[in-house]
Amino acid sequence: MAPIPLQRDTVQRPGTIRAGYAHGPRLASRTSLPGIPLAPSAARRFVRAALAEWTGLGVPAAVGFSDRLADDAVTVTNELVTNAVVHAGTTVDLVLRLEEEGDDEPTAALVLEVTDHHPARPVSGDEPEPGPEPGAAVAGELPDPAEYGRGLQLVATLADSWGITYRTGLKTVWARLPVDDWSAPPSPPDGEALRRGLRAAEILAPAARRTERDDAVWDSRGAPAFLAEASDLLAGQLDEDLVAAIAGQLLVPRLADWCAIWLETEGGGPAAEPRLARVWHSDETGTEPLRTALENTPPKLPAGAGSGPVPVPVPWPAPPADRPAEAGEAGEAGEASSPYPGGRDGAALAFRITAGGRALGTVLVGREGVAQVPEAVASLIEDFVRRLGLAVGAARAYTRQATISRILQRGLLPSKVAEIPGVTSALVYEPSDDGVVGGDFYDIFPCPGDRWCFVLGDVQGSGPEAAVVTGLARPWLRLLSREGFGVGEVLDRLNRLLLDDAMEAAEAAALMVAAAGGQQLHDGTQSRFLSLLYGEVVPLPDGGVRCTVASAGHPLPLLLRPDGSVRPAAEPQVLLGVVEDVAYESQTFGLAPGDTLLCVTDGVTERRSGPLMFDDGDGLARVLAGCAGLPAEATAERIRRAVHEFAEQPPDDDVALLVLHAE
């Protein structure tokens, strides 16, 4: 792996010319992106779309673009843009350029430049000491990843060279990727995908500031396209502050020179003051002064005001007519053009944010140097604010549901699990991050007669219904176990309880919980199925333990011997809560010192990567076989890591596993 260079200036290489200077028009694509979490995704799509466009033009150097080069360029872009968003937090400028070297054997390279507007924030992996002179080679070992992170290591590995350029108010991180795969031209690019990729970056990117705004673009085609794209961006967000941030950057500077968004405090009552959630100015230097002018003066709209525009005074006084213009404040014709509030008069409109008949906040937009906002633009902003209200309402509903889910989750799982003499245990529990309580649960608890019982279960579905069933099943299991029933008898009785009229109370409770959280439920008469792995452990005088288990519609437990052999430790049986006349049977075996028992839920075995599942071809058993000789914690971590690495996307189901290791 190449060492990370630390140069501070762009190295000018002799003999290098930019693509197109000798062979045709210059090939360079550029865009600007706001410093928000959506920026890396938009940057990736922009790079793929630009490369596809160049390939479609038939440029000789672009013929050498391979899938690997495109993937490397997207990966480097993602790392650099993410770094800029996280560590600088400003607007990010992205330039993708094709360079050719005009030697006897022409070569080409892609150059990526990512610029942020916060040069005081060092790049992660950038050491503070002064760098070498421009063009000087840098030798040395790769910095410690624990100290500097892994992102720039990846950039250093994929790029032929990379570096950092500091300019007044700017910091640019660049990377050069050689084009060395001179393969045949690929198939023509997908025009629709290209349009979506370029448009995704364009709609997120603040347009270049201009003195005059062309409002004619919001015709019958421009306005619907803007609203459709804006709806897509707003609808996918589940945090109201992020919704406000994206809304501000969509409004400015396309429709206004500045804007501010206030959100009402949910459940705060009529006396609660709205909070200033977002302020945005077309010039970054004007954002903080604008915030100062607005933070103590939320607009007061008339009680009867609907969703339409309400003209309001600009929130700062117009400059006195006899006040001389300050430096940088006058334009060519003497017209005031200061980028900060107070330098120009203008027009402002306020819009009420509503959803479901409830007021959720206020949007204030303004234009500088005009007497009024054009009627067509005001109408377009009104339509945009309606969509903003729907997005804020959806984000708040999600937040309420997620809060209820977290409270339920904490109450449904044991605060701690018991320690079994002669056995070490390890638990992994990762609920899916979908804002609702998961259906997986676990428990380890002592019972009379020198017995310890363990449980790993999975209720059908998720949300309040599953939570209530879990809240009943876990204490029922503890009660039945402590009454002295055998493993099979415990499942028999639990099955009857799940089919009993007692479940009507569970469904009624679930309906009340859902009403508080706003989640739709299925018909309250629906049966609640439960897969369960239940067992008991009894320590033996000569070492090891005797284990008895039963599986009801659950992935079978796997027994790992010290020699690496793996076998199922139970027989499959029907789910709980399906049919009444079931006699559940248990299997008993010994766990000798060094043996390991692995219990998982279907979030492990059914983890998908395309058409494949993690347990296809006994995949789980193969991974477990490689854990021979490992303690419980190490085994659990290896299984967890294998589950996550099986697919690029995070798991979409709860992941729970229990490891018991006899000592």
Side-chain angles (χ1 to χ4, degrees):
M1 181 181 298
I4 293 182
L6 301 174
Q7 59 262 43
R8 296 299 190 273
D9 296 297
T10 302
V11 177
Q12 300 297 334
R13 299 175 181 81
T16 299
I17 59 173
R18 291 181 177 176
Y21 278 22
H23 304 290
R26 174 185 176 184
L27 279 183
S29 295
R30 64 187 68 239
T31 187
S32 294
L33 300 165
I36 61 174
L38 289 174
S41 174
R44 294 194 301 269
R45 282 179 285 173
F46 178 83
V47 168
R48 286 199 183 276
L51 294 179
E53 182 182 38
W54 292 355
T55 302
L57 293 175
V59 177
V63 174
F65 290 171
S66 63
D67 289 341
R68 178 176 179 178
L69 177 64
D71 291 340
D72 289 350
V74 168
T75 300
V76 170
T77 301
N78 182 74
E79 294 297 334
L80 296 184
V81 173
T82 299
N83 203 17
V85 169
V86 171
H87 297 288
T90 69
T91 299
V92 179
D93 300 320
L94 170 63
V95 176
L96 179 65
R97 190 172 66 249
L98 182 60
E99 292 185 349
E100 292 180 356
E101 294 184 357
D103 298 331
D104 294 336
E105 296 181 1
T107 60
L110 284 176
V111 178
L112 290 156
E113 296 179 356
V114 175
T115 301
D116 65 67
H117 299 259
H118 203 316
R121 299 279 180 88
V123 176
S124 178
D126 178 19
E127 292 186 350
E129 294 81 13
E133 294 298 323
V138 180
E141 298 298 326
L142 200 62
D144 180 6
E147 181 179 358
Y148 294 104
R150 303 180 187 277
L152 290 184
Q153 288 190 6
L154 185 59
V155 173
T157 301
L158 297 177
D160 177 65
S161 59
W162 75 276
I164 306 167
T165 301
Y166 291 98
R167 298 187 297 275
T168 303
L170 300 174
K171 176 174 76 269
T172 298
V173 184
W174 57 266
R176 186 177 185 276
L177 301 169
V179 180
D180 54 6
D181 185 1
W182 298 90
S183 59
S187 57
D190 181 352
E192 180 63 20
L194 172 63
R195 187 195 66 80
R196 288 196 303 267
L198 295 173
R199 182 60 176 158
E202 176 189 343
I203 197 167
L204 274 177
R209 283 194 304 277
R210 52 185 182 270
T211 303
E212 300 296 334
R213 181 178 286 101
D214 183 9
D215 292 322
V217 301
W218 307 116
D219 55 13
S220 59
R221 292 174 297 173
F226 169 79
L227 292 173
E229 302 267 10
S231 296
D232 288 342
L233 289 172
L234 294 174
Q237 309 310 315
L238 299 176
D239 179 88
E240 62 180 67
D241 288 321
L242 184 55
V243 169
I246 294 174
Q249 293 174 59
L250 288 169
L251 288 171
V252 177
R254 294 173 183 82
L255 300 173
D257 290 314
W258 55 266
C259 78
I261 300 175
W262 284 265
L263 294 178
E264 302 286 346
T265 303
E266 190 172 15
E273 288 291 330
R275 63 182 180 87
L276 186 56
R278 185 66 177 177
V279 174
W280 196 255
H281 198 282
S282 58
D283 191 304
E284 290 182 356
T285 61
T287 299
E288 287 308 315
L290 178 60
R291 181 184 298 276
T292 301
L294 294 174
E295 57 187 357
N296 296 320
T297 57
K300 303 292 185 182
L301 299 185
S307 60
V310 177
V312 296
V314 292
W316 54 83
D322 58 350
R323 181 176 68 84
E326 297 180 1
E329 188 176 321
E332 293 182 359
E335 180 187 0
S337 58
S338 172
Y340 53 83
R344 299 182 66 179
D345 198 358
L349 295 175
F351 299 82
R352 178 164 286 158
I353 306 172
T354 61
R358 298 177 56 194
L360 302 180
T362 305
V363 174
L364 182 64
V365 298
R367 286 195 174 187
E368 298 176 346
V370 298
Q372 66 179 18
V373 178
E375 183 178 349
V377 174
S379 177
L380 177 58
I381 297 175
E382 180 181 351
D383 287 341
F384 174 83
V385 172
R386 290 195 187 98
R387 289 158 173 78
L388 173 60
L390 294 175
V392 172
R396 290 191 169 185
Y398 173 86
T399 300
R400 287 193 298 269
Q401 181 64 57
T403 301
I404 291 174
S405 295
R406 285 193 295 269
I407 295 172
L408 285 173
Q409 201 80 65
R410 287 196 296 267
L412 295 175
L413 299 176
S415 57
K416 66 176 184 178
V417 296
E419 295 183 1
I420 305 173
V423 174
T424 57
S425 62
L427 272 163
V428 171
Y429 179 74
E430 297 178 347
S432 59
D433 189 19
D434 57 2
V436 297
V437 65
D440 289 7
F441 66 96
Y442 60 85
D443 203 357
I444 302 177
F445 54 91
C447 288
D450 198 25
R451 296 179 298 128
W452 278 261
C453 297
F454 61 91
V455 178
L456 195 61
D458 184 3
V459 179
Q460 174 207 14
S462 59
E465 293 172 294
V468 173
V469 176
T470 301
L472 293 173
R474 196 168 68 83
W476 281 344
L477 279 165
R478 285 198 172 207
L479 178 63
L480 293 169
S481 301
R482 288 168 176 168
E483 288 295 317
F485 294 108
V487 171
E489 294 176 306
V490 167
L491 295 190
D492 289 341
R493 285 162 172 76
L494 180 60
N495 183 56
R496 287 198 290 271
L497 285 169
L498 290 170
L499 292 166
D500 193 66
D501 290 343
M503 287 309 297
E504 293 182 6
E507 298 294 345
L511 287 169
M512 289 188 290
V513 172
Q519 181 185 8
Q520 295 293 325
L521 292 181
H522 301 293
D523 184 0
T525 62
Q526 179 182 356
S527 299
R528 307 304 303 169
F529 305 147
L530 172 64
S531 75
L532 189 74
L533 180 66
Y534 170 70
E536 67 175 28
V537 173
V538 177
L540 300 176
D542 298 332
V545 297
R546 183 178 71 249
C547 186
T548 304
V549 298
S551 175
H554 202 81
L556 300 181
L558 298 178
L559 178 60
L560 170 65
R561 299 295 188 186
D563 62 1
S565 61
V566 178
R567 69 170 180 86
E571 297 294 332
Q573 299 178 86
V574 68
L575 286 163
L576 295 168
V578 179
V579 293
E580 291 190 31
D581 299 327
V582 180
Y584 288 94
E585 298 180 352
S586 60
Q587 288 76 42
T588 300
F589 53 91
L591 276 181
D595 289 348
T596 298
L597 185 68
L598 172 65
C599 311
V600 302
T601 60
D602 60 8
V604 173
T605 57
E606 297 180 7
R607 165 84 157 124
R608 285 193 170 273
S609 176
L612 302 177
M613 290 195 297
F614 182 73
D615 199 34
D616 286 348
D618 294 327
L620 179 59
R622 290 200 306 273
V623 176
L624 180 61
C627 300
L630 296 180
E633 288 286 350
T635 299
E637 174 58 22
R638 181 171 292 188
I639 300 296
R640 186 201 68 81
R641 189 169 61 247
V643 171
H644 278 268
E645 293 175 352
F646 183 69
E648 292 183 2
Q649 298 78 17
D652 57 3
D653 193 6
D654 301 341
V655 173
L657 62 93
L658 168 65
V659 177
L660 301 178
H661 180 75
E663 295 180 328

